[in-house]
Amino acid sequence: VFARLRGVRQDAADRDFMYALGRVCGRILQLQLREHVFKQIHFGFLSFVRFCVCSHGSAPPAEISAKPDTVVLDLLVSAHERDYEPTARAAAEQADRLYGAVRKAGFSDSDLKTADFSVNTAYKNVRDENGNYGSVFDGYRCVQRFTLEFPTDMARLAQTLSYIGSCGADPDVRISFTVRDTEMLKERLLTECTVSARKKAEILCRGLGVMPGEVISVKCGDCQPDFMSATGFSVGDRVMPLMAKAGCAENMTPEDVKISESVSFVFGII
């Protein structure tokens, strides 16, 4: 063969021989390559199946709780007059009364935050002589929303509500309980998600005779839970001035803040 490959003269028989030899060598290479690729595909398929089995149970919802350490008062006042200037004066007077009430409760003016301020025209529905209703200009309305936050203290809450209820501003009051350091609580929650996912992956893999390896991918949501306690707290307008005298809420303990999140992990296997 090598003599023919090195030979000077090549007749038709030589060319036919070289052609046949090339086809045989090419076929051998094709078979070897096909076997190698098949082995790789087979191994990859088995690995993929095992990955799926491990990751099916590794997205457990985790939940943590924390005692609320902050009281949040949401105060809404509204002024409505026919003309703009009286509306503005009434709104300013309401704000002054609220600031005076929080000062009496031991807070500074900067503790009372303005969360929303809006002034709009108002309309009312009026029926004409034909019985049809139409919108008619009804003056101006100014809406202000304030928030006041302070460390959880039920006695101080009752005292503050008493001053707000007797200041003459007549606000709509919403009371809620939350935690101040929400970022710390988020970190705790995500840590709990990770620990729980790893534990479930180990249990699933143990049944298959394998062990979870490195993390292949992680999928997490926005992690924007509600940090408010589920405890409801409402007080009527006529009751608020009496809160400090009655002392009915001083022994109250708000329910813990509970938050949950689900994070998906895909683990390798060992």
Side-chain angles (χ1 to χ4, degrees):
V1 171
F2 290 108
R4 293 196 179 192
L5 290 175
R6 296 195 306 268
V8 176
R9 52 184 289 267
Q10 291 186 356
D11 53 18
D14 291 332
R15 288 194 296 270
D16 292 342
F17 175 78
M18 293 295 296
Y19 177 73
L21 180 62
R23 291 190 62 182
V24 171
C25 292
R27 182 60 176 169
I28 293 173
L29 290 175
Q30 283 182 342
L31 291 174
Q32 289 179 341
L33 180 61
R34 184 179 302 174
E35 182 180 4
H36 175 73
V37 171
F38 175 77
K39 288 181 179 179
Q40 293 298 317
I41 293 175
H42 181 65
F43 175 77
F45 175 73
L46 291 179
S47 299
F48 174 74
V49 172
R50 290 182 177 179
F51 277 133
C52 288
V53 171
C54 285
S55 64
H56 267 229
S58 58
E63 180 179 280
I64 62 172
S65 61
K67 294 187 179 300
D69 58 11
T70 304
V71 179
V72 181
L73 295 185
D74 193 293
L75 311 172
L76 185 71
V77 291
S78 178
H80 178 204
E81 299 291 344
R82 178 69 182 179
D83 296 320
Y84 176 77
E85 289 186 2
T87 302
R89 285 196 298 268
E93 183 178 352
Q94 287 175 327
D96 289 341
R97 289 177 180 273
L98 285 178
Y99 280 113
V102 298
R103 282 196 295 267
K104 288 181 180 179
F107 300 97
S108 64
D109 288 354
S110 60
D111 292 327
L112 186 64
K113 309 292 186 182
T114 300
D116 185 66
F117 181 91
S118 63
V119 182
N120 291 293
T121 52
Y123 295 88
K124 63 181 179 180
N125 290 327
V126 178
R127 191 166 72 173
D128 60 20
E129 62 275 7
N130 298 321
N132 299 319
Y133 285 90
S135 295
V136 177
F137 176 76
D138 190 36
Y140 298 87
R141 179 177 286 108
C142 178
V143 178
Q144 302 175 87
R145 187 166 71 88
F146 300 90
T147 58
L148 178 65
E149 298 184 8
F150 55 92
T152 301
D153 184 336
M154 302 310 294
R156 191 179 191 187
L157 171 60
Q159 186 70 54
T160 302
L161 290 175
S162 295
Y163 286 123
I164 291 174
S166 59
C167 73
D170 297 326
D172 292 330
V173 181
R174 290 192 301 173
I175 306 162
S176 54
F177 305 91
T178 186
V179 291
R180 182 172 295 276
D181 193 351
T182 57
E183 290 301 320
M184 179 272 294
L185 209 57
K186 281 184 183 180
E187 291 180 6
R188 278 185 52 199
L189 178 60
L190 294 177
T191 300
E192 181 62 27
C193 286
T194 304
V195 173
S196 178
R198 184 75 184 186
K199 185 180 297 184
K200 284 198 172 185
E202 290 175 353
I203 294 172
L204 291 171
C205 288
R206 194 179 304 130
L208 297 172
V210 296
M211 287 296 294
E214 64 180 10
V215 177
I216 305 302
S217 66
V218 180
K219 184 178 180 181
C220 181
D222 294 335
C223 194
Q224 297 295 331
D226 183 7
F227 292 99
M228 294 297 178
S229 168
T231 298
F233 193 109
S234 60
V235 182
D237 295 342
R238 296 185 178 182
V239 179
M240 272 199 295
L242 307 175
M243 287 291 295
K245 297 179 181 179
C248 60
E250 292 185 6
N251 296 324
M252 174 183 166
T253 302
E255 187 176 344
D256 286 358
V257 174
K258 298 177 182 179
I259 60 175
S260 62
E261 180 67 29
S262 181
V263 181
S264 297
F265 292 81
V266 176
F267 293 92
I269 57 172
I270 300 175

